[in-house]
Amino acid sequence: MYQEVAENPEGDFHFYHGRAAAARFDYPLEWLDSAPRGAVESFGGVGNPHLRAALAPGETVVDLGSGAGLDAILAARQVGESGRSIGVEMNPVMREKAESNAAEAGVRVEWLQGTMEAIPLPDASADVIISNGVINLSFRKRRVTEEMFRVLKPGGRVSFTDIVSAKQLSQSIVNDPKLWAS
Ligand SMILES: C[S@@+](CC[C@H](N)C(=O)[O-])C[C@H]1O[C@@H](n2cnc3c(N)ncnc32)[C@H](O)[C@@H]1O
């Protein structure tokens, strides 16, 4: 689904995406203006994890499910040259798109292919984990949480935005993974 957005950002989708979504979630417009167009157009998040991440120069930040790269690229700009921004993405097509978007912007991000259920990073290696509309996609959320705690340094932080349903969803929605994307 997210690959479809990245390949056809003008398409009709049942969820907010692209620049309009990011603006709606209070991403500063100057951040969006200076980010690579491909990453902004393909943005598929559900909120703004940067509002609470309080990223500081020199920190190591990991973006779980980095998609076309907007959040990891914006994180790289906040942690600066002395920090590290690492995007973890399971879909190789999205990983490559993110890599070329970051190269276009001249931003250094490390792009790792892998899953949030088995984060391809050593124990206690990250100061901050961010994620935007990805954890809800996993049916192994306890495992994802264990992985986040394994990878975080003591005193590390997590800032993620996601969707939660306050009411029981109908079986037809639960059975349609396309509708999990939001
Ligand atoms: C909502 S988008 C991420 C938005 C992204 N932060 C941005 O800046 O546009 C969701 C991404 O999570 C990836 N994803 C889904 N399940 C995953 C998993 N188990 N591990 C890693 N990535 C996953 C999808 O391939 C997709 O690219």
Side-chain angles (χ1 to χ4, degrees), residues 120-180:
L121 285 168
D123 298 356
S125 54
D127 297 295
V128 187
I129 291 181
I130 61 170
S131 186
N132 196 350
V134 187
I135 296 171
N136 70 295
L137 300 173
S138 178
F139 47 87
R140 298 176 67 205
K141 295 180 179 61
R142 182 178 293 272
R143 171 77 186 151
V144 174
T145 308
E146 288 166 357
E147 277 294 89
M148 291 197 288
F149 275 81
R150 179 185 67 76
V151 163
L152 278 176
K153 296 177 188 171
R157 314 189 296 284
V158 176
S159 175
F160 68 89
T161 42
D162 225 309
I163 52 171
V164 174
S165 174
K167 60 177 185 184
Q168 185 66 41
L169 298 172
S170 72
Q171 204 55 39
S172 60
I173 293 176
V174 173
N175 287 350
D176 185 348
K178 281 208 160 185
L179 293 180
W180 300 5

Side-chain angles (χ1 to χ4, degrees), residues 57-100:
E59 287 189 316
T60 295
V61 54
V62 178
D63 181 24
L64 296 181
S66 39
L70 182 64
D71 285 317
I73 290 168
L74 297 178
R77 289 193 168 151
Q78 293 169 78
V79 298
E81 290 285 307
S82 58
R84 290 173 74 193
S85 175
I86 303 167
V88 174
E89 169 59 47
M90 72 173 188
N91 179 340
V93 177
M94 296 302 276
R95 198 199 63 79
E96 278 168 27
K97 280 188 188 299
E99 193 164 2
S100 81

